[in-house]
Amino acid sequence: MHELAITQSVVDMVAERTAGRQVNLVRLDVGALSGVVPEAMQFCYELIIGGTSLEGSTLVIEQTSGAAHCRSCGQDFALDSLILLCSCGSADVELIAGRELRVLSVEMEVESCA
Ligand SMILES: [Zn+2]
């Protein structure tokens, strides 16, 4: 289950960037073609955050659908698998969306920074 390793790295990265402050919510953008199953990631997240500064926080996963651009005919089209083939018959297709895995935002406990 590669979601475990991926989720672990996201949790580690967020904990590091937020310098140990209590995190309430993490919002992620997961591409539909990234190979990551949101439900599995959600499950792993719950397991991993125990004992970290993210404990008790919510993981919100937003899925970006796949999109591609055909270099032969110039059209952009939706993609629901990693089979890069345009309806014009060309395989000279560039993936333009759907493989991203990035943190969109993190919400933390508010504390005065005087
Ligand atoms: Zn085409």
Side-chain angles (χ1 to χ4, degrees):
M1 186 155 75
H2 68 163
E3 278 81 3
L4 187 60
I6 295 167
T7 311
Q8 181 75 63
S9 63
V10 169
V11 169
D12 287 348
M13 195 265 290
V14 170
E16 192 184 310
R17 293 284 170 85
T18 55
R21 289 166 68 189
Q22 178 63 49
V23 172
N24 292 333
L25 188 141
V26 175
R27 193 180 301 274
L28 282 186
D29 176 12
V30 175
L33 307 177
S34 65
V36 172
V37 180
E39 292 76 18
M41 193 171 204
Q42 196 73 250
F43 178 77
C44 294
Y45 186 82
E46 300 295 327
L47 289 179
I48 293 167
I49 59 173
T52 74
S53 58
L54 281 72
E55 186 167 5
S57 65
T58 305
L59 176 66
V60 176
I61 297 173
E62 294 185 4
Q63 276 215 296
T64 301
S65 48
H69 173 76
C70 177
R71 291 193 191 92
S72 297
C73 71
Q75 74 167 317
D76 290 342
F77 56 98
L79 203 67
D80 57 9
S81 76
L82 282 173
I83 298 165
L84 299 174
L85 190 64
C86 179
S87 57
C88 75
S90 172
D92 189 8
V93 167
E94 181 187 1
L95 191 66
I96 53 178
R99 298 209 77 176
E100 46 280 275
L101 179 68
R102 57 194 173 131
V103 175
L104 293 173
S105 65
V106 172
E107 287 174 23
M108 291 180 288
E109 284 292 336
V110 180
E111 60 179 83
S112 61
C113 45

